[in-house]
Amino acid sequence: YVTLSGRYINAETADGVPQVQLVARNLSNGTVRMATSDAHGYYFLSNLLSGDSYELTSSKYGCTLMPAVRKIVIYADTV
């Protein structure tokens, strides 16, 4: 399994955006993983399958996030 991590930031101020709701939906089997960004905008979506495609959706009440939907493919790093 793979963990996707990142950070939502305000493009104008570079401050982290807290309380962003993230949903990763597996496009092949429909499973869903959810996370919420922390006070500094960081988020972690865990238990994603390596090699699968996901639709990543983000939202925050009262805000417009760009882009709100992305399609990504998850690959695991091997060390």
Side-chain angles (χ1 to χ4, degrees):
Y1 292 98
V2 178
T3 297
L4 174 68
S5 62
R7 185 176 188 217
Y8 266 93
I9 60 168
N10 180 313
E12 294 177 9
T13 65
D15 292 333
V17 180
Q19 301 300 311
V20 175
Q21 305 295 314
L22 295 111
V23 176
R25 184 177 61 86
N26 186 306
L27 296 176
S28 62
N29 65 22
T31 58
V32 172
R33 299 287 183 251
M34 294 181 280
T36 302
S37 64
D38 67 13
H40 304 286
Y42 292 100
Y43 63 87
F44 301 90
L45 285 158
S46 56
N47 296 322
L48 303 175
L49 295 174
S50 179
D52 281 6
S53 295
Y54 287 83
E55 179 181 73
L56 183 61
T57 305
S58 56
S59 62
K60 178 176 169 95
Y61 181 76
C63 291
T64 301
L65 303 173
M66 299 303 265
V69 177
R70 287 188 174 209
K71 290 192 172 72
I72 59 174
V73 178
I74 303 293
Y75 290 104
D77 286 336
T78 54
V79 179

